[in-house]
Amino acid sequence: MSERLTAIDEAKSNGHLDSTPSVGRGDLLSMFLKAKEASPTFFHDGRVLTLAVSMAFAGSETTGISLAAVFYYLIKNPKKYCRLVQEIDDAAGLGLIEERPSGLISWAESQKLPYLDACIKEAFRLHPATGLLLERVVPPHGAEICSEYIPGGTIVGCNAWVIHRRPEVFGEDVDVYRPERWLEVSKEKRKEMDGKNISLLEMYKLIPTFLRRFEVFLADPGQEWKLHNAWFVRQLNFDVTFKIRDRSVSKTDGDKYET
């Protein structure tokens, strides 16, 4: 932050007032500094720093937890793992994924992989990143929730770990990692299951890119992970090894697609 403020001061001293406060950048810090310029009393340096750190912490923590959940459930379910790898290989063979020196898969290409989408959504369902209530305040006039009147100003909330295991929504096998459930339902039912749209660009690009280039294994297949809930539900004892994948050798066959 101090470096950005110094750059702004230098821009001002050089007469480039039109370039402040972003100094040619369009990131979150620049937006906060722009707000500081408009309302310096409210957006003082301390508040700008707090907001910037909060954005970085929240985004990286939830993404890291969710990525770990996807890989954990794939490794623990080899048939699902193999089916996803086969989908990626098939898409590349059909020209749906461009062959790049970097091996990266773009966001647009990842959206052509329905089983990838199902695997990510199923991991999100079984392991929401937050483990405490998502709180809301009842409006002043009150509200009826679950056939009960709740006075205005009351703090209410739902726990995603409970909502995501409702058998009337997800089926009786709610404790099972089964991505196929997202492919079997109607469009209307999927909207009920989906809740919010998942738009984590990093995950949809990183997971297929990684699985196309590497094989990943549990360091100790007999060890279960441990979960620590402190608002975010972090995973402990989840150690893996990986090696460069030989894409000339197919590791999938028909029986691995059984659900």
Side-chain angles (χ1 to χ4, degrees):
M1 178 174 167
S2 59
E3 293 178 357
R4 190 70 61 85
L5 291 173
T6 299
I8 292 173
D9 291 338
E10 290 177 354
K12 287 182 178 180
S13 64
N14 292 330
H16 301 303
L17 297 179
D18 58 339
S19 66
T20 58
S22 64
V23 194
R25 303 187 186 186
D27 54 24
L28 284 171
L29 178 56
S30 296
M31 295 173 65
F32 295 147
L33 291 173
K34 186 175 182 180
K36 175 179 180 292
E37 191 86 359
S39 304
T41 303
F42 180 78
F43 276 99
H44 50 77
D45 288 350
R47 179 154 288 161
V48 170
L49 180 60
T50 298
L51 287 170
V53 172
S54 296
M55 292 298 100
F57 173 76
S60 62
E61 189 79 3
T62 54
T63 301
I65 289 171
S66 298
L67 278 170
V70 174
F71 281 108
Y72 178 81
Y73 285 112
L74 285 174
I75 297 170
K76 296 290 280 188
N77 294 271
K79 292 180 180 179
K80 316 301 183 187
Y81 183 116
C82 290
R83 179 174 177 178
L84 177 55
V85 171
Q86 188 66 58
E87 179 183 64
I88 297 168
D89 288 347
D90 289 347
L94 292 171
L96 300 177
I97 295 175
E98 180 183 340
E99 291 289 350
R100 300 178 177 87
S102 64
L104 294 178
I105 294 177
S106 71
W107 163 260
E109 291 167 344
S110 75
Q111 298 307 288
K112 301 171 186 175
L113 304 172
Y115 197 68
L116 168 69
D117 183 55
C119 288
I120 292 176
K121 283 182 166 63
E122 183 71 345
F124 274 30
R125 182 187 70 82
L126 280 175
H127 193 102
T130 55
L132 301 180
L133 296 185
L134 303 176
E135 297 180 343
R136 298 292 184 270
V137 179
V138 175
H141 56 271
E144 184 175 309
I145 303 175
C146 297
S147 302
E148 290 192 23
Y149 174 77
I150 307 297
T154 304
I155 297 176
V156 297
C158 296
N159 190 309
W161 284 74
V162 176
I163 296 174
H164 291 183
R165 283 170 168 79
R166 294 179 62 188
E168 65 271 28
V169 176
F170 297 100
E172 294 300 324
D173 58 343
V174 290
D175 293 319
V176 176
Y177 179 77
R178 193 171 69 83
E180 289 76 11
R181 77 177 77 246
W182 297 89
L183 305 176
E184 297 168 350
V185 297
S186 65
K187 186 176 181 180
E188 292 71 24
K189 180 66 174 180
R190 181 159 177 159
K191 287 182 179 179
E192 179 185 356
M193 294 164 60
D194 225 352
K196 294 183 178 179
N197 292 325
I198 298 175
S199 56
L200 293 179
L201 180 109
E202 303 98 323
M203 293 189 62
Y204 279 82
K205 293 179 64 176
L206 187 149
I207 292 169
T209 298
F210 186 90
L211 291 178
R212 195 175 180 215
R213 298 179 63 184
F214 301 99
E215 292 183 63
V216 59
F217 314 88
L218 289 172
D220 182 357
Q223 184 180 56
E224 296 293 332
W225 67 3
K226 294 183 179 180
L227 304 181
H228 176 70
N229 183 10
W231 175 246
F232 294 131
V233 185
R234 295 179 57 243
Q235 303 100 331
L236 307 175
N237 295 340
F238 178 34
D239 300 315
V240 301
T241 61
F242 58 92
K243 66 178 183 180
I244 296 176
R245 180 175 167 236
D246 182 359
R247 281 191 270 165
S248 66
V249 179
S250 174
K251 297 186 66 176
T252 62
D253 51 58
D255 67 346
K256 288 185 171 59
Y257 297 151
E258 296 176 2
T259 60

